[in-house]
PDB file of all heavy atoms in Angstrom:
ATOM      1  N   GLY A1228       4.178 -10.489  -7.155  1.00 93.00           N
ATOM      2  CA  GLY A1228       3.821 -11.793  -7.687  1.00 93.00           C
ATOM      3  C   GLY A1228       4.223 -11.945  -9.137  1.00 93.00           C
ATOM      4  O   GLY A1228       4.988 -11.149  -9.682  1.00 93.00           O
ATOM      5  N   THR A1229       3.677 -12.980  -9.753  1.00 95.00           N
ATOM      6  CA  THR A1229       3.978 -13.319 -11.133  1.00 95.00           C
ATOM      7  C   THR A1229       2.675 -13.519 -11.896  1.00 95.00           C
ATOM      8  O   THR A1229       1.736 -14.127 -11.379  1.00 95.00           O
ATOM      9  CB  THR A1229       4.805 -14.622 -11.193  1.00 95.00           C
ATOM     10  OG1 THR A1229       5.954 -14.468 -10.365  1.00 95.00           O
ATOM     11  CG2 THR A1229       5.242 -14.951 -12.599  1.00 95.00           C
ATOM     12  N   VAL A1230       2.648 -13.004 -13.106  1.00 94.00           N
ATOM     13  CA  VAL A1230       1.487 -13.170 -13.983  1.00 94.00           C
ATOM     14  C   VAL A1230       1.886 -14.135 -15.099  1.00 94.00           C
ATOM     15  O   VAL A1230       2.908 -13.942 -15.763  1.00 94.00           O
ATOM     16  CB  VAL A1230       1.042 -11.817 -14.574  1.00 94.00           C
ATOM     17  CG1 VAL A1230      -0.097 -12.016 -15.563  1.00 94.00           C
ATOM     18  CG2 VAL A1230       0.627 -10.869 -13.463  1.00 94.00           C
ATOM     19  N   THR A1231       1.087 -15.185 -15.267  1.00 92.00           N
ATOM     20  CA  THR A1231       1.337 -16.180 -16.304  1.00 92.00           C
ATOM     21  C   THR A1231       0.075 -16.384 -17.128  1.00 92.00           C
ATOM     22  O   THR A1231      -1.016 -15.984 -16.724  1.00 92.00           O
ATOM     23  CB  THR A1231       1.758 -17.535 -15.695  1.00 92.00           C
ATOM     24  OG1 THR A1231       0.716 -17.993 -14.828  1.00 92.00           O
ATOM     25  CG2 THR A1231       3.054 -17.424 -14.922  1.00 92.00           C
ATOM     26  N   ASP A1232       0.239 -17.067 -18.279  1.00 89.00           N
ATOM     27  CA  ASP A1232      -0.932 -17.451 -19.059  1.00 89.00           C
ATOM     28  C   ASP A1232      -1.373 -18.843 -18.604  1.00 89.00           C
ATOM     29  O   ASP A1232      -0.796 -19.410 -17.668  1.00 89.00           O
ATOM     30  CB  ASP A1232      -0.643 -17.379 -20.565  1.00 89.00           C
ATOM     31  CG  ASP A1232       0.473 -18.314 -21.012  1.00 89.00           C
ATOM     32  OD1 ASP A1232       0.859 -19.237 -20.255  1.00 89.00           O
ATOM     33  OD2 ASP A1232       0.976 -18.130 -22.137  1.00 89.00           O
ATOM     34  N   GLN A1235       1.285 -21.465 -18.101  1.00 92.00           N
ATOM     35  CA  GLN A1235       2.328 -21.102 -17.130  1.00 92.00           C
ATOM     36  C   GLN A1235       3.507 -20.348 -17.745  1.00 92.00           C
ATOM     37  O   GLN A1235       4.603 -20.356 -17.190  1.00 92.00           O
ATOM     38  CB  GLN A1235       2.820 -22.342 -16.361  1.00 92.00           C
ATOM     39  CG  GLN A1235       1.742 -23.020 -15.534  1.00 92.00           C
ATOM     40  CD  GLN A1235       1.158 -22.087 -14.491  1.00 92.00           C
ATOM     41  OE1 GLN A1235       1.881 -21.471 -13.732  1.00 92.00           O
ATOM     42  NE2 GLN A1235      -0.167 -21.973 -14.466  1.00 92.00           N
ATOM     43  N   ASN A1236       3.306 -19.704 -18.912  1.00 91.00           N
ATOM     44  CA  ASN A1236       4.331 -18.845 -19.507  1.00 91.00           C
ATOM     45  C   ASN A1236       4.183 -17.442 -18.940  1.00 91.00           C
ATOM     46  O   ASN A1236       3.060 -16.931 -18.810  1.00 91.00           O
ATOM     47  CB  ASN A1236       4.167 -18.785 -21.031  1.00 91.00           C
ATOM     48  CG  ASN A1236       4.336 -20.150 -21.662  1.00 91.00           C
ATOM     49  OD1 ASN A1236       5.281 -20.871 -21.349  1.00 91.00           O
ATOM     50  ND2 ASN A1236       3.414 -20.525 -22.526  1.00 91.00           N
ATOM     51  N   ALA A1237       5.298 -16.797 -18.612  1.00 92.00           N
ATOM     52  CA  ALA A1237       5.275 -15.435 -18.071  1.00 92.00           C
ATOM     53  C   ALA A1237       4.657 -14.476 -19.083  1.00 92.00           C
ATOM     54  O   ALA A1237       4.854 -14.609 -20.285  1.00 92.00           O
ATOM     55  CB  ALA A1237       6.683 -14.995 -17.727  1.00 92.00           C
ATOM     56  N   VAL A1238       3.887 -13.519 -18.578  1.00 91.00           N
ATOM     57  CA  VAL A1238       3.252 -12.519 -19.434  1.00 91.00           C
ATOM     58  C   VAL A1238       3.761 -11.139 -19.026  1.00 91.00           C
ATOM     59  O   VAL A1238       3.574 -10.715 -17.891  1.00 91.00           O
ATOM     60  CB  VAL A1238       1.713 -12.564 -19.314  1.00 91.00           C
ATOM     61  CG1 VAL A1238       1.077 -11.518 -20.208  1.00 91.00           C
ATOM     62  CG2 VAL A1238       1.179 -13.944 -19.625  1.00 91.00           C
ATOM     63  N   ARG A1239       4.430 -10.456 -19.952  1.00 91.00           N
ATOM     64  CA  ARG A1239       4.898  -9.102 -19.662  1.00 91.00           C
ATOM     65  C   ARG A1239       3.879  -8.091 -20.185  1.00 91.00           C
ATOM     66  O   ARG A1239       3.010  -8.430 -20.986  1.00 91.00           O
ATOM     67  CB  ARG A1239       6.269  -8.851 -20.260  1.00 91.00           C
ATOM     68  CG  ARG A1239       6.323  -8.756 -21.749  1.00 91.00           C
ATOM     69  CD  ARG A1239       7.744  -8.402 -22.214  1.00 91.00           C
ATOM     70  NE  ARG A1239       7.869  -8.544 -23.638  1.00 91.00           N
ATOM     71  CZ  ARG A1239       7.536  -7.605 -24.516  1.00 91.00           C
ATOM     72  NH1 ARG A1239       7.068  -6.465 -24.101  1.00 91.00           N
ATOM     73  NH2 ARG A1239       7.666  -7.824 -25.812  1.00 91.00           N
ATOM     74  N   GLY A1240       3.989  -6.861 -19.699  1.00 92.00           N
ATOM     75  CA  GLY A1240       3.115  -5.801 -20.186  1.00 92.00           C
ATOM     76  C   GLY A1240       1.718  -5.816 -19.608  1.00 92.00           C
ATOM     77  O   GLY A1240       0.794  -5.255 -20.190  1.00 92.00           O
ATOM     78  N   ILE A1241       1.544  -6.437 -18.438  1.00 92.00           N
ATOM     79  CA  ILE A1241       0.242  -6.417 -17.769  1.00 92.00           C
ATOM     80  C   ILE A1241       0.284  -5.312 -16.716  1.00 92.00           C
ATOM     81  O   ILE A1241       1.185  -5.252 -15.885  1.00 92.00           O
ATOM     82  CB  ILE A1241      -0.073  -7.772 -17.092  1.00 92.00           C
ATOM     83  CG1 ILE A1241      -0.126  -8.907 -18.117  1.00 92.00           C
ATOM     84  CG2 ILE A1241      -1.361  -7.693 -16.276  1.00 92.00           C
ATOM     85  CD1 ILE A1241      -1.237  -8.785 -19.129  1.00 92.00           C
ATOM     86  N   LYS A1242      -0.695  -4.433 -16.763  1.00 94.00           N
ATOM     87  CA  LYS A1242      -0.796  -3.348 -15.782  1.00 94.00           C
ATOM     88  C   LYS A1242      -1.473  -3.912 -14.533  1.00 94.00           C
ATOM     89  O   LYS A1242      -2.573  -4.457 -14.611  1.00 94.00           O
ATOM     90  CB  LYS A1242      -1.625  -2.202 -16.365  1.00 94.00           C
ATOM     91  CG  LYS A1242      -1.844  -1.057 -15.412  1.00 94.00           C
ATOM     92  CD  LYS A1242      -2.677   0.018 -16.118  1.00 94.00           C
ATOM     93  CE  LYS A1242      -3.170   1.052 -15.165  1.00 94.00           C
ATOM     94  NZ  LYS A1242      -4.077   2.016 -15.829  1.00 94.00           N
ATOM     95  N   ASP A1254       1.922  -0.880 -11.193  1.00 93.00           N
ATOM     96  CA  ASP A1254       3.166  -1.383 -11.760  1.00 93.00           C
ATOM     97  C   ASP A1254       2.797  -2.142 -13.033  1.00 93.00           C
ATOM     98  O   ASP A1254       1.630  -2.461 -13.268  1.00 93.00           O
ATOM     99  CB  ASP A1254       3.893  -2.303 -10.772  1.00 93.00           C
ATOM    100  CG  ASP A1254       5.328  -2.611 -11.191  1.00 93.00           C
ATOM    101  OD1 ASP A1254       5.865  -1.889 -12.057  1.00 93.00           O
ATOM    102  OD2 ASP A1254       5.914  -3.567 -10.661  1.00 93.00           O
ATOM    103  N   THR A1255       3.798  -2.421 -13.845  1.00 94.00           N
ATOM    104  CA  THR A1255       3.607  -3.223 -15.055  1.00 94.00           C
ATOM    105  C   THR A1255       4.546  -4.413 -14.992  1.00 94.00           C
ATOM    106  O   THR A1255       5.699  -4.270 -14.579  1.00 94.00           O
ATOM    107  CB  THR A1255       3.926  -2.379 -16.312  1.00 94.00           C
ATOM    108  OG1 THR A1255       3.096  -1.210 -16.282  1.00 94.00           O
ATOM    109  CG2 THR A1255       3.622  -3.146 -17.581  1.00 94.00           C
ATOM    110  N   THR A1256       4.064  -5.588 -15.386  1.00 94.00           N
ATOM    111  CA  THR A1256       4.894  -6.791 -15.302  1.00 94.00           C
ATOM    112  C   THR A1256       6.086  -6.696 -16.247  1.00 94.00           C
ATOM    113  O   THR A1256       5.987  -6.137 -17.341  1.00 94.00           O
ATOM    114  CB  THR A1256       4.079  -8.060 -15.610  1.00 94.00           C
ATOM    115  OG1 THR A1256       3.502  -7.941 -16.902  1.00 94.00           O
ATOM    116  CG2 THR A1256       2.992  -8.279 -14.569  1.00 94.00           C
ATOM    117  N   ASP A1257       7.198  -7.276 -15.805  1.00 94.00           N
ATOM    118  CA  ASP A1257       8.420  -7.293 -16.622  1.00 94.00           C
ATOM    119  C   ASP A1257       8.424  -8.527 -17.528  1.00 94.00           C
ATOM    120  O   ASP A1257       7.429  -9.248 -17.614  1.00 94.00           O
ATOM    121  CB  ASP A1257       9.670  -7.228 -15.735  1.00 94.00           C
ATOM    122  CG  ASP A1257       9.812  -8.425 -14.793  1.00 94.00           C
ATOM    123  OD1 ASP A1257       9.112  -9.455 -14.975  1.00 94.00           O
ATOM    124  OD2 ASP A1257      10.626  -8.342 -13.865  1.00 94.00           O
ATOM    125  N   GLU A1258       9.555  -8.791 -18.178  1.00 94.00           N
ATOM    126  CA  GLU A1258       9.636  -9.919 -19.126  1.00 94.00           C
ATOM    127  C   GLU A1258       9.480 -11.277 -18.449  1.00 94.00           C
ATOM    128  O   GLU A1258       9.177 -12.271 -19.111  1.00 94.00           O
ATOM    129  CB  GLU A1258      10.948  -9.862 -19.930  1.00 94.00           C
ATOM    130  CG  GLU A1258      12.204 -10.005 -19.113  1.00 94.00           C
ATOM    131  CD  GLU A1258      12.663  -8.719 -18.428  1.00 94.00           C
ATOM    132  OE1 GLU A1258      12.164  -7.640 -18.762  1.00 94.00           O
ATOM    133  OE2 GLU A1258      13.524  -8.817 -17.543  1.00 94.00           O
ATOM    134  N   LYS A1259       9.664 -11.328 -17.124  1.00 95.00           N
ATOM    135  CA  LYS A1259       9.456 -12.581 -16.390  1.00 95.00           C
ATOM    136  C   LYS A1259       8.056 -12.656 -15.780  1.00 95.00           C
ATOM    137  O   LYS A1259       7.762 -13.569 -15.014  1.00 95.00           O
ATOM    138  CB  LYS A1259      10.498 -12.716 -15.286  1.00 95.00           C
ATOM    139  CG  LYS A1259      11.913 -12.861 -15.824  1.00 95.00           C
ATOM    140  CD  LYS A1259      12.908 -12.968 -14.706  1.00 95.00           C
ATOM    141  CE  LYS A1259      14.320 -13.073 -15.269  1.00 95.00           C
ATOM    142  NZ  LYS A1259      15.329 -13.100 -14.216  1.00 95.00           N
ATOM    143  N   GLY A1260       7.214 -11.672 -16.108  1.00 93.00           N
ATOM    144  CA  GLY A1260       5.847 -11.640 -15.590  1.00 93.00           C
ATOM    145  C   GLY A1260       5.760 -11.154 -14.148  1.00 93.00           C
ATOM    146  O   GLY A1260       4.707 -11.238 -13.534  1.00 93.00           O
ATOM    147  N   LYS A1261       6.835 -10.614 -13.618  1.00 95.00           N
ATOM    148  CA  LYS A1261       6.875 -10.203 -12.206  1.00 95.00           C
ATOM    149  C   LYS A1261       6.465  -8.744 -12.042  1.00 95.00           C
ATOM    150  O   LYS A1261       6.717  -7.912 -12.904  1.00 95.00           O
ATOM    151  CB  LYS A1261       8.269 -10.412 -11.644  1.00 95.00           C
ATOM    152  CG  LYS A1261       8.717 -11.859 -11.737  1.00 95.00           C
ATOM    153  CD  LYS A1261       9.525 -12.242 -10.529  1.00 95.00           C
ATOM    154  CE  LYS A1261       9.931 -13.697 -10.594  1.00 95.00           C
ATOM    155  NZ  LYS A1261       8.939 -14.575 -10.077  1.00 95.00           N
ATOM    156  N   TYR A1262       5.823  -8.468 -10.911  1.00 94.00           N
ATOM    157  CA  TYR A1262       5.461  -7.104 -10.546  1.00 94.00           C
ATOM    158  C   TYR A1262       5.721  -6.919  -9.050  1.00 94.00           C
ATOM    159  O   TYR A1262       5.798  -7.891  -8.286  1.00 94.00           O
ATOM    160  CB  TYR A1262       3.998  -6.796 -10.884  1.00 94.00           C
ATOM    161  CG  TYR A1262       3.012  -7.553 -10.037  1.00 94.00           C
ATOM    162  CD1 TYR A1262       2.499  -7.001  -8.863  1.00 94.00           C
ATOM    163  CD2 TYR A1262       2.603  -8.836 -10.386  1.00 94.00           C
ATOM    164  CE1 TYR A1262       1.607  -7.712  -8.073  1.00 94.00           C
ATOM    165  CE2 TYR A1262       1.715  -9.549  -9.611  1.00 94.00           C
ATOM    166  CZ  TYR A1262       1.214  -8.979  -8.453  1.00 94.00           C
ATOM    167  OH  TYR A1262       0.346  -9.682  -7.670  1.00 94.00           O
ATOM    168  N   PHE A1263       5.879  -5.663  -8.641  1.00 93.00           N
ATOM    169  CA  PHE A1263       6.110  -5.328  -7.241  1.00 93.00           C
ATOM    170  C   PHE A1263       5.510  -3.947  -6.995  1.00 93.00           C
ATOM    171  O   PHE A1263       5.880  -2.984  -7.654  1.00 93.00           O
ATOM    172  CB  PHE A1263       7.613  -5.305  -6.931  1.00 93.00           C
ATOM    173  CG  PHE A1263       7.923  -4.998  -5.489  1.00 93.00           C
ATOM    174  CD1 PHE A1263       7.992  -6.014  -4.549  1.00 93.00           C
ATOM    175  CD2 PHE A1263       8.142  -3.693  -5.071  1.00 93.00           C
ATOM    176  CE1 PHE A1263       8.272  -5.731  -3.228  1.00 93.00           C
ATOM    177  CE2 PHE A1263       8.430  -3.404  -3.744  1.00 93.00           C
ATOM    178  CZ  PHE A1263       8.488  -4.433  -2.823  1.00 93.00           C
ATOM    179  N   ASP A1284      -1.159  -4.001 -23.673  1.00 81.00           N
ATOM    180  CA  ASP A1284      -0.356  -3.956 -24.900  1.00 81.00           C
ATOM    181  C   ASP A1284      -1.050  -4.627 -26.088  1.00 81.00           C
ATOM    182  O   ASP A1284      -0.420  -4.937 -27.091  1.00 81.00           O
ATOM    183  CB  ASP A1284       1.036  -4.547 -24.664  1.00 81.00           C
ATOM    184  CG  ASP A1284       1.014  -6.032 -24.337  1.00 81.00           C
ATOM    185  OD1 ASP A1284      -0.076  -6.640 -24.343  1.00 81.00           O
ATOM    186  OD2 ASP A1284       2.082  -6.586 -24.062  1.00 81.00           O
ATOM    187  N   GLU A1287       0.104  -8.065 -28.509  1.00 77.00           N
ATOM    188  CA  GLU A1287       1.558  -8.277 -28.541  1.00 77.00           C
ATOM    189  C   GLU A1287       1.984  -9.531 -27.779  1.00 77.00           C
ATOM    190  O   GLU A1287       2.823 -10.297 -28.237  1.00 77.00           O
ATOM    191  CB  GLU A1287       2.267  -7.050 -27.962  1.00 77.00           C
ATOM    192  CG  GLU A1287       3.773  -7.106 -28.099  1.00 77.00           C
ATOM    193  CD  GLU A1287       4.427  -5.840 -27.603  1.00 77.00           C
ATOM    194  OE1 GLU A1287       3.863  -4.750 -27.786  1.00 77.00           O
ATOM    195  OE2 GLU A1287       5.514  -5.958 -27.012  1.00 77.00           O
ATOM    196  N   ASN A1288       1.446  -9.753 -26.592  1.00 74.00           N
ATOM    197  CA  ASN A1288       1.788 -10.924 -25.776  1.00 74.00           C
ATOM    198  C   ASN A1288       0.590 -11.836 -25.572  1.00 74.00           C
ATOM    199  O   ASN A1288       0.547 -12.606 -24.625  1.00 74.00           O
ATOM    200  CB  ASN A1288       2.291 -10.490 -24.395  1.00 74.00           C
ATOM    201  CG  ASN A1288       3.541  -9.682 -24.484  1.00 74.00           C
ATOM    202  OD1 ASN A1288       4.477 -10.081 -25.153  1.00 74.00           O
ATOM    203  ND2 ASN A1288       3.568  -8.548 -23.833  1.00 74.00           N
ATOM    204  N   PHE A1291      -5.620 -10.868 -23.210  1.00 86.00           N
ATOM    205  CA  PHE A1291      -6.098 -11.423 -21.948  1.00 86.00           C
ATOM    206  C   PHE A1291      -7.262 -10.623 -21.384  1.00 86.00           C
ATOM    207  O   PHE A1291      -7.329  -9.401 -21.535  1.00 86.00           O
ATOM    208  CB  PHE A1291      -4.952 -11.463 -20.934  1.00 86.00           C
ATOM    209  CG  PHE A1291      -3.810 -12.320 -21.386  1.00 86.00           C
ATOM    210  CD1 PHE A1291      -2.697 -11.753 -21.989  1.00 86.00           C
ATOM    211  CD2 PHE A1291      -3.851 -13.687 -21.228  1.00 86.00           C
ATOM    212  CE1 PHE A1291      -1.641 -12.540 -22.415  1.00 86.00           C
ATOM    213  CE2 PHE A1291      -2.802 -14.488 -21.647  1.00 86.00           C
ATOM    214  CZ  PHE A1291      -1.699 -13.909 -22.253  1.00 86.00           C
TER     215      PHE A1291
END
Side-chain angles (χ1 to χ4, degrees):
T1229 306
V1230 176
T1231 59
D1232 61 15
Q1235 298 300 309
N1236 298 313
V1238 180
R1239 70 176 170 85
I1241 299 296
K1242 177 180 168 185
D1254 192 16
T1255 304
T1256 58
D1257 62 14
E1258 63 279 347
K1259 295 179 182 177
K1261 301 217 178 274
Y1262 68 93
F1263 181 88
D1284 65 3
E1287 187 176 324
N1288 298 311
F1291 299 98

